[in-house]
Amino acid sequence: MDKRPETLAAQALHRIDGETGAVIPPVHTATTYARGADNALIGAHDYLRPEGPTQAHAAAVLTALEGGADARLFASGLAAAMAVFATLPTGAHVVAQTKMYYGAKKLLQHLEARGALILTLFDPDDPDALARAVRPGETELVWIETPANPLWSLVDIARAADIAHGAGAILAVDGTCAPPCTTRALDLGADLVMHSATKYLNGHSDVLAGAVITRADDERWQALCAHHSLTGAVPGAFESWLLIRGLRTLFVRFERQSANAMQVAQALTGHPAVSQILYPGLPDHPGHAIAARQMTGGFGGLLSIRLKGGAEAAARLCARTQVFIQATSIGGVESLIEHRKPIEGPLSPTPDDLVRLSCGIEAADDLVGDLVEALGRG
Ligand SMILES: *Cc1c(COP(=O)(O)O)cnc(C)c1O
């Protein structure tokens, strides 16, 4: 029977431990695996750096949820992104966004400064900019992030795939902010999906991990797997086990986070202290039509608000909330608030009056009440 993704996630692929009947997988902490008298491996694994059983189980859940051919786990989201960049030919032309997760952009610029690649950035809010940025026959990789942290610009994945493939490039999607419960980028034509599993996938702010999932087990994927094994930026067994546990509730967490963010966005609409609300779920968001097409399981828990009182008002709001915790990161069950510009630095395109909100699974009334109360104090 073909099971729905919700079922696959909740049961972590319905794997029952063969030895004990346990319905929950064990944590395999072993770094090495025994061989028999004939020197053949007893199981499927030999050493932990390429992959252990707990890591492989988490990767299998992600492969199933993304509808891919294979996946590898990494020690962080950026280690996963680095694996994609590292498998490009030296000096490759790469296209990415002006507005994207600032850490991944910094990594790309760092690699460009070292001569590893040539970078062209395009504005994700201009629907024609990507087609202008690719160089047919030369571009190797188009890297998009949608919705893009923290302005939540939307990029049409199917269209980006057509443009990338038309230029002879591959399309990789940073799917951190649109996990597979709402967007399956491989189905839309992407070649690779990368996640910071630190965020929604684990969802409890207690694991640092990343993943890359591939549509095809091809030569490029084998090169990425070789990089994975040779460089060893892999998560431990406990992190991988926690990720499996977190993934069981991904669908219900995301549904609740989406509902909470929508309530916050609607409650703050027209608030006298707020100049703009950036949430893909609002009909007046510039990317709403794309979001409605490609975020089929909800618009997520992430939104940003811009304040009429500028940077000082943004800093004040973050200091005053009593339910939202002032901290970086996104996608966890607890709501976080952050004045983003000072984190990203002066070169970032993020406006300094922007406050980023990551809505958790708390009572919506508490989240709305907290923001209204903190904003009301001026
Ligand atoms: C956090 C984040 C990353 C980096 O992930 P780490 O796990 O912190 O290395 C990459 N992309 C996006 C969109 C993120 O939010």
Side-chain angles (χ1 to χ4, degrees), residues 9-10 26 39 145 202 317 341:
N39 202 29
E145 177 187 327
N202 178 63
L317 173 62
K341 180 76 171 191

Side-chain angles (χ1 to χ4, degrees), residues 76-78 101 145 149 174 176-177 194 196 198-199 208-209 330:
S76 70
L78 281 186
Y101 172 64
E145 177 187 327
N149 188 357
D174 181 341
T176 301
C177 300
M194 165 263 159
S196 169
T198 313
K199 316 291 172 57
L208 188 76
I330 52 176

Side-chain angles (χ1 to χ4, degrees), residues 60-82:
V61 177
L62 287 175
T63 301
L65 295 184
E66 292 284 7
D70 201 6
R72 285 291 178 279
L73 295 193
F74 291 86
S76 70
L78 281 186
M82 184 60 208

Side-chain angles (χ1 to χ4, degrees), residues 40-321:
L41 287 165
I42 293 169
H45 302 277
D46 69 339
Y47 186 60
L48 190 60
R49 176 157 34 71
E51 197 165 60
T54 311
Q55 287 82 355
H57 188 172
V61 177
L62 287 175
T63 301
L65 295 184
E66 292 284 7
D70 201 6
R72 285 291 178 279
L73 295 193
F74 291 86
S76 70
L78 281 186
M82 184 60 208
V84 177
F85 305 149
T87 41
L88 295 168
T90 303
H93 183 236
V94 174
V95 173
Q97 294 168 197
T98 49
K99 300 158 189 161
M100 62 184 284
Y101 172 64
Y102 86 119
K105 187 169 159 186
K106 255 192 355 206
L107 174 56
L108 283 167
Q109 289 169 332
H110 166 80
L111 292 170
E112 185 181 40
R114 295 173 55 88
L117 50 83
I118 296 162
L119 187 60
T120 299
L121 298 177
F122 74 98
D123 179 0
D125 292 322
D126 174 351
D128 301 319
L130 174 57
R132 286 197 304 270
V134 294
R135 300 180 191 162
E138 201 184 318
T139 306
E140 297 273 353
L141 170 69
V142 173
W143 178 270
I144 62 170
E145 177 187 327
T146 179
N149 188 357
L151 287 155
W152 316 120
S153 309
L154 267 290
V155 177
D156 185 324
I157 296 172
R159 192 155 171 267
D162 283 345
I163 294 169
H165 295 154
I170 63 159
L171 178 71
V173 178
D174 181 341
T176 301
C177 300
C181 52
T182 196
T183 299
R184 300 221 317 184
L186 302 178
D187 290 350
L188 297 170
D191 301 285
L192 298 171
V193 183
M194 165 263 159
H195 284 282
S196 169
T198 313
K199 316 291 172 57
Y200 280 121
L201 295 184
N202 178 63
H204 293 73
S205 306
D206 53 11
V207 167
L208 188 76
V212 182
I213 303 98
T214 186
R215 188 150 54 91
D217 184 359
D218 51 14
E219 217 175 295
R220 185 186 53 245
W221 179 250
Q222 287 310 317
L224 190 142
C225 293
H227 170 91
H228 175 264
S229 163
L230 284 169
T231 56
V234 296
F238 288 110
E239 283 78 4
S240 305
W241 188 87
L242 277 170
L243 177 55
I244 296 168
R245 181 185 170 117
L247 283 167
R248 289 172 178 266
T249 55
L250 173 64
F251 283 81
V252 288
R253 282 188 281 108
F254 193 81
E255 202 177 303
R256 174 66 169 247
Q257 287 171 299
S258 298
N260 280 354
M262 185 62 95
Q263 282 217 37
V264 166
Q266 285 170 345
L268 296 183
T269 297
H271 191 284
V274 175
S275 62
Q276 195 182 11
I277 299 170
L278 298 161
Y279 184 56
L282 291 180
D284 66 353
H285 188 274
H288 179 70
I290 299 170
R293 271 202 309 280
Q294 93 192 4
M295 300 181 80
T296 53
F299 299 106
L302 310 173
L303 70 157
S304 295
I305 58 176
R306 297 184 63 187
L307 297 178
K308 288 181 186 159
E312 296 82 59
R316 251 190 335 263
L317 173 62
C318 297
R320 280 181 181 168
T321 52

